[in-house]
Structure formats: C-alpha cells, structure tokens
Amino acid sequence: MNGRWLVALAAAVTFAGAVTPAASAAPAPRAACPEQAGVLHCLTTYTPGTARAMAAGWGADDLAAAYGLPAAPGPDTVVGISIAFDAPNLEADLAAYRAQYGLPPCTSANGCFRKVNQQGAAAPLPEVSFGWALESTLDVSMVSAACPSCRILVVEGNTPGFADLAETEDTAVRLGAKVVSNSYGAREGGAALAYASHYQHPGVTVVASSGDSGFTAASYPAVLASTVAVGGTSLARDPDAPRGWAEQAWTYGGSGCSAYIAKPKWQRDTHCGKRTVADVAAAAEDLAVHYADAGGWLPVSGTSASAPFVAGLIGRSGHAGAVQPAGLYANAGAFTDVTSGNNDPAGGGKKCGGDYLCVAGPGYDAPTGVGVPNGLAGF
C-alpha cells in the first residue's frame, strides 16, 4: 500500500542442475477490484496474507483525533453506499469495527443499518464478490468513524456496470439517503457520462473517490460537477505539528483534468480548462477494517476510504444535501491545507511538470483539493 515492497529473490540453481524453490517474497499490494473495460471498479488496495487478530492501521479513534471531530455524535442522517455485488458478512464486520472503537451498535434490529438490492428490496441480493465486499466493509467502517450516529443504507448493484450502479444511486436517494458515497470509478468517457444525471439529485450530496492511479485521466463519477470529488492523503503522527499530525498527498491518490466536463464557475485553477479533480481529501492509506473473509483485521488503502469518510462528515455536519462542491471552495479557509507530497508514483511530480495538478502546495491543488477536514467547519 505504501509502494515499498520486496522484490522476489531469483531461484537458485544447484550444481546438479536442480532448481530450488524461490525464496518467499513479501506479498505486493493488490487491487481489490482490478480494472476491466466497460465497467466501474472499486478503489481499494490490500496486501494478501496480512490479516491479523488485532486491529492494524488507522482506526476510528485516530481519525477523530487527526481531524478534530467533536465529541457529540451528531444527527442520524441517512448515508447511502452505492456498491456492486453482495457482502454477506457486512453487518457482522461492521459490528466488530464499531465495537473495537467504542462506537454505538449499528444493526438491522435497531434500524441503523439496512442492506438492499438495486431495486430497494431486501432480497434477492446479488452474487458475492470478495473484492467488492471488502470495499463495502471499508465504506461502512469509514462512515461509522466519521459519523457514529448516522444511519447506513447499502444498495448493492447486480454488476459494476454503469447502468446497474446508476440505479443503486437512484434507489439510495429514493429510500432516504441525504448523502450518497461512491467508492468506485472508471476513466471518463461517453459510455460513463451517459449516466451522469443519476449522480445529481436535488437536496442530496453525492461524494465519489478521485481514483487510485495518481495523476491520470479524470475518474467518473468524481469528475462530474455535481459530485464532491475526494482525493487521498498519507497520515502520520507528528508531535511537533500544531494538530499533532502531519499529512501529505498520497502517492497513488487520483487527480486529473477533465476532457469533457466544463469548468465549473466555482473552480478557478488556471492550468486546467475544464473540471479539475479533486475538491477535498482525507486519509487514504493504511486504514483498519475488520474483514472476516480475509481472516480478521486488515489494513487497506484507497480513496475508497477517504470518500465515505467525507460523506460521513457531511452527514454529521447536519447540512447533508445543502453541501455541494461550490460551497467547499467558498469555505476553503475552514479546511487544513496540505502543502507537501505528490501523486506521481514514478516521477515524483515530473508527470505534470511539478505543477499543482499532481504536486501538493499552498492553496488549491488537484491531489488534495482545498485541503482536509478541520472538524466540521468546512461542511
């Protein structure tokens, strides 16, 4: 997840010509949902074989401290999760996460948790996908960390196709979601943009991950002007910093300049003539989730963590629905500016010529937008 892993050792050849087994190598991070043409893919990476019995990675308490979240839990806003495929153990994994961090139970029985298919019915649910179920688990965990009092509505699409996930969006809104989080993406283009209207609903805030491939073509649906596009950061403790934490642009967090979407009036950066991604950012590296199918607690990374976290904060703010991208720029001073790091894994910023489109700096930059949350003030 950090981009630093061991290279496997070459197999040794004995004097008799027999080949000995290759030395074990540290497993490389893996995309939970590998990219496929013509469909959306979830934006989570994990390292196989790293699950453990104890929580590993940044937890809800760390995020609350890093972002100065209030002690009061907030309102019971309905936060929708648009996702593909079924996660059969989702409620149990969510219970383990919330218990670990002292968050109140969120269950079907108490009305806090609800899972439905893309038509809004409790059954039949779609087929199961290991990677997408991991994504679902991360989504509900991050919403919980951001807003312990929010109700969570998970709408599962039959496939990760554009039409099916567009329907999950509409269903989430129809069932009462005031914020809808989308931790998936695909390269923008005509096939994807044909469904843009499903990500724009009056009185609803739509949030989407900016992508996990660094500075590249803008990701849909984050690129839509109606969507709050959330980039990623790397979080670290820093006792010398005023807030006790340091943050920089996550190496793999997505940013991009749209080839299709007109420049919104509220976005004033000068080196991209159309819509620039992202708008805001939050931690996207080494987040702790409980995922029984992987064997326990698993550290995961991706802007699929930062987007539902921001969605939860919007729900907690009490202004869900009223919060739209334009308002975040108007309230830029209420966010903590991220001024270091880049999202050019191979070139350290050379891919964009050291420009703000892939290098964090004072003020707006594409990897981290106007900054990271400072309590709920920006929302």
Side-chain angles (χ1 to χ4, degrees):
M1 295 168 217
N2 297 318
R4 301 185 293 270
W5 50 84
L6 299 175
V7 177
L9 299 175
V13 179
T14 67
F15 69 92
V19 179
T20 61
S24 296
R30 176 183 297 175
C33 308
E35 288 191 52
Q36 297 180 17
V39 297
L40 294 138
H41 67 283
C42 73
L43 296 165
T44 299
T45 61
Y46 73 104
T47 303
T50 58
R52 59 200 72 179
M54 303 295 291
W58 300 119
D61 48 359
D62 299 310
L63 297 174
Y67 295 115
L69 302 189
D76 65 346
T77 308
V78 178
V79 178
I81 303 294
S82 167
I83 200 75
F85 299 121
D86 182 38
N89 300 319
L90 186 58
E91 188 170 353
D93 282 323
L94 176 60
Y97 183 90
R98 293 178 72 106
Q100 172 69 25
Y101 298 109
L103 306 178
C106 185
T107 67
S108 300
N110 67 16
C112 174
F113 176 84
R114 185 181 181 188
K115 186 175 72 168
V116 299
N117 62 23
Q118 69 186 54
Q119 289 81 32
L125 295 174
E127 65 182 71
V128 177
S129 163
F130 177 92
W132 282 91
L134 175 57
E135 176 61 70
S136 297
T137 304
L138 176 59
D139 289 353
V140 297
S141 299
M142 292 301 98
V143 170
S144 297
C147 184
S149 59
C150 285
R151 288 180 285 160
I152 300 174
L153 169 65
V154 180
V155 187
E156 299 180 333
N158 293 332
T159 74
F162 298 120
D164 283 343
L165 286 174
E167 185 174 359
T168 68
E169 200 80 9
D170 296 338
T171 296
V173 173
R174 177 168 55 82
L175 295 181
K178 294 301 180 184
V179 186
V180 184
S181 180
N182 307 276
S183 290
Y184 51 73
R187 185 186 181 105
E188 66 171 344
L193 294 173
Y195 296 92
S197 63
H198 298 269
Y199 295 85
Q200 183 173 10
H201 295 272
V204 176
T205 306
V206 177
V207 179
S209 305
S210 69
D212 291 355
S213 299
F215 174 59
T216 185
S219 180
Y220 165 94
V223 71
L224 300 175
S226 58
T227 300
V228 175
V230 185
T233 64
S234 295
L235 187 65
R237 296 185 189 276
D238 183 358
D240 297 325
R243 57 189 276 231
W245 299 82
E247 222 158 343
Q248 65 178 20
W250 182 44
T251 306
Y252 299 98
S255 70
C257 177
S258 178
Y260 298 87
I261 306 298
K263 192 76 170 175
K265 293 181 180 179
W266 37 264
Q267 200 172 50
R268 297 185 176 89
D269 60 297
T270 56
H271 296 175
C272 172
K274 295 186 181 294
R275 166 77 155 116
T276 311
V277 173
D279 300 319
V280 294
E285 185 179 36
D286 290 337
L287 286 308
V289 298
H290 186 275
Y291 189 49
D293 285 347
W297 288 92
L298 189 69
V300 298
S301 296
T303 53
S304 55
S306 51
F309 183 74
V310 167
L313 294 182
I314 292 171
R316 189 171 184 171
S317 74
H319 302 134
V323 175
Q324 298 295 330
L328 303 181
Y329 288 78
N331 294 334
F335 291 84
T336 300
D337 195 12
V338 177
T339 59
S340 63
N342 66 82
N343 64 350
D344 175 16
K350 294 179 182 177
K351 193 171 184 179
C352 69
D355 191 71
Y356 75 91
L357 291 174
C358 73
V359 178
Y364 177 83
D365 57 74
T368 66
V370 299
V372 296
N374 179 12
L376 303 176
F379 307 111

